[in-house]
Amino acid sequence: MKMISVTTAMLLAVCLTASSGFCDTKKGDKVDGKRAFEEHCAVCHPDGGNTINAQKPLNRKSLRANGVKSVKDIIVKIRNPGPGMTSFDKETLPDKEAKAIADYIMKAFK
């Protein structure tokens, strides 16, 4: 019985530690947009490109041509993308993190 309790406690500790990276940041904490981009977006958008649709990279010219002109527009695309892109709901990607990613995209991929 004692072995089960120790094992359960260890498993709980690992789960809590692992899941802490998926929680929204505390109020006042700054989100690293580049890190969040690399974690959630870079697989399909390496260096601002687009592995799914090469005609829609994340540079400003392409974004504008596709009706994306602001941080708010990028967040809308994150939440409700077109065909081929994964949708990121608020539980998966909290608003603060989505905004940090959008800010990073607007600054990094001119």
Side-chain angles (χ1 to χ4, degrees):
M1 184 72 167
K2 192 173 187 175
M3 182 62 147
I4 292 172
S5 296
V6 171
T7 303
T8 303
M10 289 174 55
L11 181 58
L12 181 60
V14 169
C15 289
L16 289 173
T17 302
S19 68
S20 66
F22 299 107
C23 297
D24 195 7
T25 58
K26 295 178 187 172
K27 192 171 185 170
D29 286 352
K30 185 171 168 92
V31 176
D32 182 343
K34 181 178 181 183
R35 183 207 51 79
F37 177 86
E38 289 170 355
E39 180 180 338
H40 297 287
C41 312
V43 169
C44 295
H45 295 286
D47 299 319
N50 189 329
T51 61
I52 305 301
N53 184 347
Q55 302 304 311
K56 293 185 176 184
L58 298 180
N59 63 54
R60 190 153 303 174
K61 181 179 177 184
S62 177
L63 290 173
R64 287 191 183 280
N66 288 287
V68 179
K69 300 175 183 165
S70 68
V71 167
K72 185 176 178 181
D73 292 336
I74 292 172
I75 294 170
V76 168
K77 287 291 184 189
I78 288 170
R79 300 284 184 232
N80 189 23
M85 183 173 154
T86 301
S87 175
F88 292 93
D89 62 23
K90 291 181 180 189
E91 194 171 305
T92 305
L93 192 68
D95 286 339
K96 196 175 206 178
E97 204 166 347
K99 183 179 181 320
I101 289 170
D103 286 335
Y104 172 72
I105 289 170
M106 292 298 284
K107 292 174 186 166
F109 307 115
K110 298 178 181 190

